[in-house]
Amino acid sequence: MSASTKRKTRQAEIEAGTYRKQAAQRKQDEQKAKEKRTIAICSAVVVVIVLAAILLNLIPAIKDRQELRRYTDGVAVTVGDRNYSPAEIGYLYTNQFNSLASSYYGIIYGLDASQGAQGLGSVAYNGPQVEGENLESWRDYILYTIHSQLKNTQTMLRYANENNISLSDEEIQAVDDDLANYRAYAVMYNYPNVDQFLSANLGKGVTLDMIRGLQLDAALADKAYTAFQEQLSFTPE
């Protein structure tokens, strides 16, 4: 409908005394459409959370990726014999932030997730302190959590190596099946390839191979920990 036709139609509605009614109806229709879109978006987020790495939450949650990149570009962590790159720390940081932003722990201890990752250095951390640590901000807490998790992972990977524990083909395939979601979203959002999609949305230098390595390590560490727990609970007859 052209602009002139719209004006003529609106004038006719006014003259007939129906303009307000029509306007109210249009507003109601727009609101219903908006609600439907919101429901659809929320449903998509839930599906992604269940299936993989909560991408639809991550993308809008990080309002200023440049701040995260600036920070993580200057950070590299060595745990045992393993050197973790800035891209790996940035990816883990993003995941940890997203998890806290939707958690009860983050809510009760004052995490202001509305600022995204950019403001965590200035957002006071009011949760329980750890002996020997000075956790003043949520950024401090997240980095402490990441380092603790990586230490646990490396400990369990050493245990796995010493006890000939490895992932089965089915367990490896389960990791690869989860990663397939990243490929699907790269296609959905018209990226040339999955690595460009990951780098744009999860931080500079993040690639599918990098994420796969971290997830395989985590899966093997979990399997080793289960075996370790079973060994502790085993009582010879």
Side-chain angles (χ1 to χ4, degrees), residues 37-141:
R37 289 195 299 270
T38 301
I39 292 172
I41 292 172
C42 291
S43 298
V45 171
V46 171
V47 169
V48 176
I49 290 174
V50 173
L51 292 178
I54 36 184
L55 280 177
L56 292 182
N57 274 341
L58 292 176
I59 294 170
I62 304 174
K63 292 185 176 180
D64 187 351
R65 299 186 185 92
Q66 292 300 324
E67 168 65 17
L68 181 58
R69 292 174 186 175
R70 181 200 66 75
Y71 181 67
T72 56
D73 279 348
V75 174
V77 175
T78 299
V79 180
D81 297 329
R82 173 75 154 85
N83 293 321
Y84 290 89
S85 70
E88 288 174 310
I89 298 303
Y91 170 74
L92 295 171
Y93 186 101
T94 299
N95 282 347
Q96 188 65 29
F97 166 74
N98 186 74
S99 177
L100 285 168
S102 59
S103 72
Y104 183 67
Y105 186 91
I107 294 172
I108 63 174
Y109 290 122
L111 173 60
D112 184 4
S114 66
Q115 298 185 42
Q118 62 175 335
L120 293 187
S122 59
V123 177
Y125 170 70
N126 300 315
Q129 287 291 323
V130 179
E131 185 177 356
E133 300 289 336
N134 184 25
L135 306 178
E136 296 182 350
S137 70
W138 278 96
R139 176 181 289 176
D140 296 336
Y141 175 78

Side-chain angles (χ1 to χ4, degrees), residues 51 168-181 215-216 219:
L51 292 178
S168 67
D169 291 341
E170 291 78 11
E171 290 165 331
I172 294 174
Q173 187 61 51
V175 171
D176 289 333
D177 289 344
D178 283 345
L179 294 177
N181 290 280
Q215 291 196 6
L216 286 173

